[in-house]
Amino acid sequence: MSALSSRVDLATARIHSDDADRQTETAQEILRRLESQPGVVLADDVGMGKTFVALAVAVSLLESQGRDRPVVVMVPSSVKDKWPRDWAVFESLCLNGAGAAIRTTEETVERPGQFLKLFDDPPERRRHLIFATHRALSNMHADPWIDLALVRQALLWQRDLDLQWNALPRWAGRLFPNAPAFKDEDLVWSLLEKPPSQWRATCRSAGRELDDDPVPRALVEACKHVDFAALREVLGRMPLKSSASIDARLRSLSRELKDAIRGLWPAILENASVSSPLLVLDEAHHLRNPNKLAQLFEAFGDGETPVLGDTFDRMLFLTATPFQLGHRELVAVIHRFSAVRWQDPSQRDAFDQQVDGLAAVLDGFRSRTLELDRAWGRLDPAEVEAVEAADPHWWDGGDRTRLPDRMQSAARCVAQARSMRAVVEAHLRPWVVRHTKANEPGHIALLPGRSILPNTGDHRGGLAVEGEAVLPFLLAARAQAEVAADRESKARALFADGLASSFEAYLYTRADAAEACDEDAGTPVPADVPTDIDWYLNRIDQALRPDGDGTVAARHPKLDATVERVVDLWRSGEKTVVFCFFVATGRALRDRIAAGLGSEILRRGAIALGLAPERTREVQATLERIGDRFHRRDSPLRERSESVLRRLVRDAAAGNLTEDDVERVMRIALRFIRTPSFLVRYFDLGADVDAGAIDAALERKDASGLTLSTKIAAFAAFAAGRVDAEREVLFAALEQVQTGTLWVDAAAVDDTETIGSARLPNVRLANGRVKDETRRRLMLAFNTPFFPEVLVASAVMAEGIDLHLDCRHVIHHDLDWNPSVVDQRTGRVDRIGSKAERTAKPIVVYEPFVEGTQDEKQFKVLTDRGHWFGVLMGERLELDESTTDELAARVPLPADLADELTVRLHVYDGTGATEPASPPPPERDPDEVEDLLALLDEHADELPTAVAEAAAKLMG
């Protein structure tokens, strides 16, 4: 069981050899641990290939156990299509063909009935890998055939319900309206008279062909152990004869039946005799709090079995944010492993004791780090600055008595937390594997504040507020101070967040705070602010809308800076993803960026064509005429372009694309190259754009040093490396993305668009109000050298989305108080195989903020709490104004100290080792030894002897 299957090879052309080695070592280590424990949490950072590691583990278990039982992969509904696609890639690239094919579900299962039916398949058709959504087993809804089978079971042998049994065929068509077949009373009679195992044959005899047995055998067997009392009570109210109110009575009874049947499903699943060697659960942090998913893993009383109890031999949980959970919630997630099938009940007791010990140790670490947090929060900035000038690492050993009292206390807390970390790692390491991205110099270029402005000499500090914008920000600062002064209210000035984002967002927070935020952002609406600040807010309204017509007159410093930077990046051939939180800001950014790019296209076109800037119509018409020459049949430019691109694509594909696909890629490239967006940047428009113009255009480089031909060739090679289904979806997305002016019509409208308005097609908005299918197409197209070139995105694009293949620039226009949220966003472009990795250029991250406003406060808190996050393990911030004011005024925690105190749980260190190398024991002063011994004594009852001895030995 512990060996990685010989069929699996994670070293592919898509990833660096170091990443392949890490993934391979991780999969092998997980398999080793699963031999002796119920589960493992794989918590690698975003973009490090957890999916492929999990699939390697799943395949290895299937191969070692003869594939007689399927592995189940449960995923959030938001990525239900991604996992089957990833499997197709894994099968094509990482699984050699030396053995029989591994069969998977073609689509992700979403209902419990579908799930149970898969276990009925004979060996020759059995799925070896089942993809199911998180809701598949907590969505307690089946289908009308299963509903009828449960009603039949409830009525069977119940003499007091004989009349209802006889009435059921008459009403079945209306009680189960989703089953047209049930309108046939004779068929329903026949079904009731036979067990569900014969229903398919019964339907065939009646001239109705079913694709499969409609009721899973496992469900029928489980029903023998289910209490149907509640369902029988509802069935007792079934009408026995027709009446004037029969329709209303049957509709009401149908609803009651659904509720009663829904209540049966936990017991059905608990008693269903299905078995799997492994559950892979993606985004396992959803298990941290009580919810429908978590309840599947919980026993509801003494002696009871969880719904999924005894179903899985082992569990593998995936999450990129283990410390975001908080230590107690992390323990709760690990404790879900108790739902596995235990060979010996005493093993479960031993596991519970281990988890209790882990909880106690994490409690101790939490108390130490909270003491450090409080002590650090009391530091005086002036005292720290004076000491740091002579000793930058003043907290580390040495003579503490030389320090001011507050710094002595903080240094002592550092020593205690440092000592406790070794104990925590020893307890947590068996259960959690975590690798973080190497923080190599130059990997990420973080440009805060005014650094977003192009061609600015001094990049220190934030964006300045000037002109008509001064008054709104001054009034907001005064109102915010009033809110902060009322410490009891715990109110948050969302209006200040909105104002720092955009004036449009501020106006929306005033109109409707709930509607102002993206619906998928997950941030609660804050408490009401005091009414005595209304005077300030009303004055801000007047300052922003002096004419009362809803038009915002003032220029917003951050919005203007973001637009200017995006236009500058576009000018140099770079794509940009811009993250924002407020719905109105997303719309404003899309419109302003589109306007800025439109103006820049016309400006550059006018210069290149030798026309006056104001002759925009002539510039536009000329660019369109040039673009049309790429399509005219008699055009040498078209002939030459097709020939060059066809050869470029064919060479890059290296025989891995059919001629039809080569032609398709060529035409996709051509439809974007002919647009004004490409013409003004890549073609010499001052000369006659003749047949040879395409050759020069393809050799123009972007700011990453890539020529247009290199990018198109990389796209062709990428397409050639996809499996057929993956390639088809990619091509279809690019063929559907518009290249001309995007006119919004009534058929395509959603909440973010205005019917009849025009949009520049290379600037697109993707938030929670844009259709899922549209967002999916935009994501695929953004990952190519073509449109869209700018993506304005909200939280809905911040998890489980790849945006890295042709983009290395991120603008966090709206920051967040939670560091992991910003890290997740950046992770969309910081992934294996990214453009930054291919070009050996940094990922450039802009975090603009407006100086002296809520924006700057949020930046300071975000930066400092980012250092504390791994130390405190999931700190939850109070976001009221008085608390965040205090946090912004603290002495920042040094990054190197934060790194030293963060728990490390990796199994691969680049040397091939399966455990991290142990550093030599540091020099310890007597006070530190005394602190640790006191700590060990405090937790003596919870710590295994070996761990306590190891920690004491570490201290020398």
Side-chain angles (χ1 to χ4, degrees), residues 515-562:
E515 284 296 310
C517 308
D518 180 36
E519 62 186 23
D520 286 345
T523 299
V525 177
D528 292 335
V529 297
T531 57
D532 56 6
I533 67 167
D534 283 348
W535 183 87
Y536 297 103
L537 302 185
N538 291 334
R539 289 294 301 274
I540 296 174
D541 289 350
Q542 294 170 17
L544 293 180
R545 296 183 288 196
D547 298 328
D549 61 355
T551 302
V552 177
R555 301 294 299 270
H556 193 281
K558 188 164 67 170
L559 201 71
D560 286 354
T562 296

Side-chain angles (χ1 to χ4, degrees), residues 12 14 289 481 507-508 512 518 576 669 726 755 797 882 895:
T12 72
R14 291 193 180 190
N289 295 320
L507 295 173
Y508 264 87
D512 189 333
D518 180 36
T576 312
E726 197 179 16
I755 295 175
M797 299 291 279
S882 59

Side-chain angles (χ1 to χ4, degrees), residues 566 570 575-576 590 593-595 597-598 601 672 675-678 681 737-742 759-765 778 782 786-792:
V566 171
W570 171 88
K575 290 193 172 191
T576 312
R590 176 199 56 197
I593 292 170
L597 289 183
I601 288 171
F672 291 97
T675 63
S677 179
F678 276 75
R681 287 177 298 169
V737 170
Q738 288 184 251
T739 58
T741 302
L742 180 63
R759 299 279 183 259
L760 203 65
N762 58 341
V763 183
R764 299 301 296 269
L765 173 64
L778 291 177
F782 188 77
F786 311 118
F787 290 177
E789 296 176 298
V790 179
L791 192 63
V792 180

Side-chain angles (χ1 to χ4, degrees), residues 595-613:
L597 289 183
S599 297
E600 179 65 8
I601 288 171
L602 293 175
R603 186 190 72 80
R604 291 171 66 96
I607 293 172
L609 294 169
L611 298 172

